Amino acid sequence: MWIDSHCHMDRELLYQNSEKVINACITEGVDRIIIPSVSKANFDKIIKIAGKYKQCVYALGFHPMYLSEFEDGDLDLLEQYLLNNNAVAVGEIGLDLFAQKNNQLLQETIFQSQLKIAKKFDLPVIMHVRGAIDLVLKNLRKIKVRGGIAHAFNGSFQQADQLIELGFKLGFGGVMTYPRSKHIQALAKQLPIEAIVLETDSPDMPPEWLGNDENNQPKELRKIAEFFCHLRGLEPLKAAGIIRVNTIEAIPKLGELCT
Ligand SMILES: [Zn+2]
């Protein structure tokens, strides 16, 4: 069975059909889904979904692209939520200097605060990083968390090695399936298998076979995984076991909830 390590189940496209979406996952052999939050506006919704479907677990945190919704007191609120709920990670957090450069200082401050909170709660982090891997690495060296996942990784081999050394797994998903994604394919093919987790990032990031159809779903993880296995010349059955161990190593509470 496969784990989708990054899926936004709370987004309307998935949420309004959640029962169908989860049943399709079960049919396709995807039995666990990690749902990261993006702002306090979706905390309760995500917790509700995870309460309804045993396949779903969640992370709580503030996404760097949603900081316009961030208000004073939100970090305290995050700590309250972490105390009173069963989040498996802090996320998704990080830096996006590709989409937004004008609020770098705010992004970095909130990222650092959330790393400290993750450390305090001994939780891993799920990171969104674009155009800022070196800056993220610098912060991770200062504030030592217990690792986690760098989702949708698209950096250099050297940056990958540094993240792995800091206890992170690297997430690969639909983008890998496009013929033009030569670099991401090279990463997915050559990085140590122990460092890799798989994700759909649905409803975003449709894999090649969905074309421009926005309706990416967590069930696509199985075909994404098969693409990955083909790249590396791996038996899907064997790969599923390895990727499962990797994901649980990154997100240990997932293991407790998987029994
Ligand atoms: Zn995401």
Side-chain angles (χ1 to χ4, degrees):
M1 298 293 260
W2 297 101
I3 299 172
D4 184 354
S5 66
H6 200 105
C7 164
H8 295 281
M9 269 300 293
D10 58 302
R11 294 260 298 276
E12 270 324 291
L13 274 172
L14 299 176
Y15 184 69
Q16 63 196 3
N17 299 309
S18 58
E19 211 156 305
K20 257 195 200 159
V21 168
I22 297 292
N23 283 334
C25 280
I26 297 165
T27 309
E28 293 291 293
V30 179
D31 73 335
R32 288 291 178 273
I33 300 167
I34 303 176
I35 313 172
S37 56
V38 296
S39 78
K40 66 181 170 197
N42 71 353
F43 285 4
D44 288 327
K45 198 171 176 187
I46 282 169
I47 293 168
K48 192 174 130 194
I49 298 167
K52 193 165 171 196
Y53 302 105
K54 70 170 182 19
Q55 289 80 10
C56 298
V57 300
Y58 60 92
L60 296 172
F62 305 110
H63 190 294
M65 281 172 71
Y66 289 77
L67 294 183
S68 59
E69 296 171 25
F70 187 86
E71 295 173 313
D72 280 349
D74 278 2
L75 291 167
D76 292 336
L77 185 81
L78 175 59
E79 289 205 32
Q80 283 305 316
Y81 266 86
L82 291 172
L83 265 179
N84 298 324
N85 298 282
N86 204 9
V88 298
V90 173
E92 64 184 285
I93 68 172
L95 299 174
D96 193 326
L97 301 180
F98 177 79
Q100 291 177 354
K101 255 194 146 87
N102 58 334
N103 65 348
Q104 180 176 336
L105 194 65
L106 177 69
Q107 284 194 41
E108 213 178 340
T109 308
I110 307 297
F111 178 52
Q112 289 165 347
S113 302
Q114 294 189 96
L115 288 177
K116 285 177 191 157
I117 290 172
K119 194 175 167 171
K120 182 173 166 185
F121 284 83
D122 194 25
L123 283 170
V125 298
I126 295 175
M127 295 195 305
H128 168 105
V129 187
R130 274 202 305 179
I133 301 180
D134 288 333
L135 195 52
V136 159
L137 282 164
K138 194 178 123 195
N139 281 291
L140 290 172
R141 290 203 180 88
K142 269 195 243 159
I143 307 164
K144 292 233 160 30
V145 295
R146 63 170 304 151
I149 295 171
H151 120 84
F153 182 75
N154 187 11
S156 67
F157 277 92
Q158 199 195 7
Q159 288 167 328
D161 288 344
Q162 293 176 58
L163 278 165
I164 294 165
E165 222 165 276
L166 288 162
F168 281 82
K169 310 288 183 196
L170 310 173
F172 292 91
V175 178
M176 166 180 68
T177 64
Y178 288 84
R180 64 171 182 271
S181 300
K182 293 283 176 250
H183 176 64
I184 294 182
Q185 287 175 7
L187 288 164
K189 189 175 175 178
Q190 293 166 43
L191 286 172
I193 185 83
E194 300 78 24
I196 290 175
V197 298
L198 297 174
E199 62 176 54
T200 63
D201 201 13
S202 50
D204 303 324
M205 302 293 162
E208 195 252 341
W209 51 88
L210 290 184
N212 285 329
D213 182 356
E214 290 285 290
N215 196 12
N216 190 16
Q217 291 191 26
K219 69 166 182 176
E220 300 297 338
L221 201 280
R222 184 184 63 82
K223 280 169 81 179
I224 289 172
E226 280 172 4
F227 182 94
F228 171 77
C229 289
H230 185 72
L231 257 187
R232 292 195 69 127
L234 282 170
E235 278 296 322
L237 211 62
K238 194 177 164 211
I242 297 169
I243 299 294
R244 197 172 189 84
V245 168
N246 296 350
T247 315
I248 293 171
E249 217 172 272
I251 312 287
K253 277 175 98 175
L254 181 66
E256 297 161 29
L257 298 170
C258 269
T259 53

